[in-house]
Amino acid sequence: MTASLPDIPLRSAGPGFFVTFEGGEGVGKSTQIELLKAELIKIGKTVVTTREPGGTTAAEAIRLVLLGNQYQDLSDRSEALLFAAARADVVKNVIDPALAAGSVVLADRYLDSSVAYQGIARNLGELEVKALSLWATRGLLPDLTVVLDLDPTIGMSRVKQPDRLESLAIEFHIKVRAAFLHLAHLEPTRFLVVDASQSTQEISELIFAKVKSRLTP
Ligand SMILES: Nc1ncnc2c1ncn2[C@@H]1O[C@H](COP(=O)(O)OP(=O)(O)OP(=O)(O)O)[C@@H](O)[C@H]1O
Ligand SMILES: [Mg+2]
């Protein structure tokens, strides 16, 4: 006997605007979020930033388990569930209220990271992990997802103190990179893939131009 996953109804951000930043380790996500935040503030937007896993008291506690090098026996499924649990918390307590208030939310990783890392690279199932995350977030999808695409050997060379996931073999990070490109290919309207080997300024200009073109005045 098999059981299929129920379809979760999707919802988008409105009246705010929800941008997520995705990509492997050290590709420049945090750098670009700060640069975009500064540009958006200059044009009068209210900006809220989050990072995953984390952003609420409970989610920060979950982060310690997910990234702590002492938790080497954490099972892959437990890892997927904990990411979803942390995401449920930050969506309910931070992202939903900010979007309801009309803010631009910039998230440092969101559900596509779960699909790429746990669903595809860990082989737990792309559709299963996406459904889990959509259940956790009550179907909240970003308006725009920026994938910073970079050779993982370059990204990993920028990581100073590797956490539990960053310590995985380069083959894992190569799979993650391919997974993000695959996800972007499936949803070309939601995703913007940027060549992250460019300068921080060049990347920032590309992202800001895209966001500006998508924001209602
Ligand atoms: N376009 C770029 N060119 C060269 N170096 C960069 C570029 N963008 C970021 N860096 C540098 O690379 C390092 C990693 O950047 P950053 O922390 O923004 O990446 P990240 O994707 O947030 O990493 P992590 O996955 O560890 O959170 C930093 O030292 C940053 O200054
Ligand atoms: Mg970062």
Side-chain angles (χ1 to χ4, degrees), residues 31-198:
T31 304
Q32 290 303 325
I33 284 175
E34 285 311 306
L35 293 171
L36 179 60
K37 181 180 178 182
E39 292 300 328
L40 288 170
I41 288 171
K42 271 191 228 163
I43 62 167
K45 298 289 174 188
T46 307
V47 180
V48 172
T49 60
T50 65
R51 68 159 184 181
E52 283 207 8
T56 67
T57 318
E60 289 292 333
I62 294 171
R63 181 186 181 91
L64 297 179
V65 175
L66 278 167
L67 302 185
N69 279 312
Q70 67 271 46
Y71 302 115
Q72 294 298 330
D73 59 350
L74 187 69
S75 72
D76 292 354
R77 280 169 194 269
S78 185
E79 181 180 295
L81 288 164
L82 287 173
F83 271 113
R87 187 165 304 129
D89 217 40
V90 75
V91 166
K92 178 168 191 293
N93 293 311
V94 181
I95 297 178
D96 272 347
L99 292 172
S103 300
V104 180
V105 175
L106 308 180
D108 196 332
R109 295 194 181 278
Y110 189 62
L111 97 178
D112 297 296
S113 276
S114 282
V115 180
Y117 280 73
Q118 284 75 44
I120 299 174
R122 291 241 195 250
N123 213 16
L124 292 178
E126 178 180 337
L127 297 180
E128 287 86 341
V129 171
K130 186 167 185 186
L132 175 68
S133 197
L134 286 173
W135 181 81
T137 63
R138 293 188 303 113
L140 180 66
L141 271 187
D143 295 297
L144 175 68
T145 296
V146 178
V147 170
L148 296 170
D149 180 54
L150 186 67
D151 179 340
T153 44
I154 301 174
M156 293 305 296
S157 72
R158 294 177 181 166
V159 173
K160 289 171 193 89
Q161 288 182 313
D163 60 38
R164 194 178 60 86
L165 291 172
E166 288 163 346
S167 304
L168 294 168
I170 192 72
E171 289 73 24
F172 181 84
H173 298 288
I174 291 169
K175 280 190 204 163
V176 167
R177 181 193 194 185
F180 279 123
L181 294 178
H182 161 73
L183 295 176
H185 183 74
L186 291 180
E187 289 179 76
T189 311
R190 172 160 72 90
F191 280 86
L192 170 71
V193 178
V194 181
D195 173 0
S197 68
Q198 303 174 84

Side-chain angles (χ1 to χ4, degrees), residues 36 39-40 43 203-213:
L36 179 60
E39 292 300 328
L40 288 170
I43 62 167
I203 298 167
S204 172
E205 280 166 17
L206 283 169
I207 296 170
F208 184 47
K210 182 70 166 191
V211 170
K212 234 180 6 185
S213 78

